[in-house]
Amino acid sequence: MNLNDTIKTQLNHRSIRHFKSQPLDKETLNTLYEVANHTASSQFQQFSIIHVTDKGKRTKLAEICNQPPVSENGELFIFLIDLHRNVKLRQEANLDDGRLHTMDLYLQGLSDATLAVQNMYLAAESLGLGGVILGSIRNDIRAVSELFNLPDMVIP
């Protein structure tokens, strides 16, 4: 088997659910955001990221996800399918936004968000950080959307 640092990182993957109380420094956060923004996309990136720092929202989100560690230490990011931003841009340019309401664009947004999560996660692990991807964020999409006051066409 051919191994390089990236493959070694991937093969050593483990889900981590308990984290240190030390927040990530600004440089590391910027690096992770930059990695997410460089994710491949079929057209234009249709995802956004919320960095959740509000303790009350983290506690409520932990309840929604049924994941107590969400309210504890560590950084918390929510990746969103974000078609709303592109609707606004098209409307501001007096262009039709009809295609943005199709299943095709929803699936592209889902793909964009999923790939960005994986890229950011791999980058974090390559920096010696641990993490976990929570599918349970989708336990109650409406509650998560209300908690973060998400506009139409933005889906966690």
Side-chain angles (χ1 to χ4, degrees):
M1 181 184 307
N2 276 336
L3 297 179
N4 61 31
D5 288 343
T6 302
I7 294 170
K8 287 176 188 173
T9 297
Q10 290 172 305
L11 291 174
N12 286 316
H13 164 74
R14 303 288 180 272
S15 290
I16 307 297
R17 295 182 191 276
H18 298 282
F19 306 98
K20 297 177 182 177
S21 61
Q22 178 183 350
L24 295 178
D25 60 76
K26 189 173 183 172
E27 182 180 1
T28 300
L29 286 171
N30 286 337
T31 298
L32 295 176
Y33 291 138
E34 213 37 50
V35 166
N37 286 329
H38 278 83
T39 300
S41 176
S42 64
Q43 288 190 358
F44 44 91
Q45 291 179 333
Q46 298 176 107
F47 74 90
S48 292
I49 304 170
I50 297 174
H51 181 196
V52 185
T53 57
D54 181 281
K55 183 69 173 165
K57 287 185 178 181
R58 286 180 68 128
T59 299
K60 181 65 179 159
L61 191 62
E63 293 170 13
I64 293 168
C65 294
N66 194 26
Q67 295 278 347
V70 168
S71 65
E72 298 169 2
N73 297 323
E75 304 292 350
L76 177 61
F77 303 96
I78 299 176
F79 284 73
L80 311 160
I81 299 168
D82 189 350
L83 300 176
H84 177 79
R85 178 182 58 232
N86 297 323
V87 165
K88 284 183 63 176
L89 290 171
R90 292 190 64 79
Q91 288 173 345
E92 289 171 7
N94 292 318
L95 298 171
D96 179 86
D97 69 351
R99 186 163 180 269
L100 290 170
H101 298 272
T102 66
M103 181 60 75
D104 179 48
L105 272 273
Y106 165 78
L107 291 173
Q108 286 179 15
L110 177 61
S111 177
D112 287 352
T114 302
L115 290 170
V117 166
Q118 184 61 38
N119 274 358
M120 189 179 201
Y121 193 99
L122 179 58
E125 285 190 327
S126 77
L127 294 171
L129 303 171
V132 62
I133 297 173
L134 299 173
S136 57
I137 192 81
R138 301 188 49 79
N139 282 356
D140 189 341
I141 292 172
R142 186 177 309 271
V144 175
S145 296
E146 289 172 2
L147 179 63
F148 293 96
N149 196 30
L150 301 179
D152 289 340
M153 299 184 71
V154 175
I155 304 163

